[in-house]
Amino acid sequence: MRTGERTAAKGPVKTEGGSFIKHWLIGVGAGILGTALTLAIFAFTMTLHDFGSAFFIAGTTVILALGGFLAGFVAARIRRQNGMAIGALSGVLLYLLYLGLSLLTFGLAFGPMAITKLAICVIPACLGGVWGVNYRKKHR
């Protein structure tokens, strides 16, 4: 039997080709959505009170880490295997997207802070990937 054929007893056979990239893209999309929602809450909080620039830097770092975690978690939850690798690659894709947008809008040069931001995005994405693979719903 060839991969991708349908059988009456077993149902559709899953193929590995395009679904692998699809899981990353869904995870990165979830990371972007989570980042956007968190950023909106953060921006609303910044308009209510005048915090300092240190709060702004810490807040954006937490938002970047949360987006990476969410990207890794969702991609690994869908994939259900290789959580750390899926999470790391989702974090790298999310980081490259943010780096490209930053270079287009601000024209910043690639420096040591970019490598730090890569770690801030990828490490939580790896943890999210591990948690996404091992996450099980409790049955009552």
Side-chain angles (χ1 to χ4, degrees), residues 24-82:
W24 282 340
L25 294 177
I26 291 172
V28 169
I32 291 170
L33 182 63
T35 304
L37 291 174
T38 311
L39 189 60
I41 294 168
F42 181 68
F44 180 71
T45 306
M46 291 290 288
T47 58
L48 293 178
H49 300 288
D50 186 23
F51 298 105
S53 63
F55 181 75
F56 181 75
I57 293 170
T60 55
T61 304
V62 168
I63 290 170
L64 181 65
L66 182 68
F69 180 83
L70 195 58
F73 179 80
V74 170
R77 181 87 174 111
I78 294 170
R79 183 77 178 159
R80 296 184 186 168
Q81 62 184 0
N82 301 334

Side-chain angles (χ1 to χ4, degrees), residues 11 13 16 43-44 57 59 61 68-69 87 101 103 109 125 130-131:
V13 177
E16 290 294 323
F44 180 71
I57 293 170
T61 304
F69 180 83
L101 289 172
L103 292 173
V130 170
W131 194 33

Side-chain angles (χ1 to χ4, degrees), residues 73 77-78 80 130-140:
F73 179 80
R77 181 87 174 111
I78 294 170
R80 296 184 186 168
V130 170
W131 194 33
V133 166
N134 295 321
Y135 181 77
R136 299 282 185 249
K137 290 184 180 179
K138 294 181 180 179
H139 297 286
R140 294 181 184 203

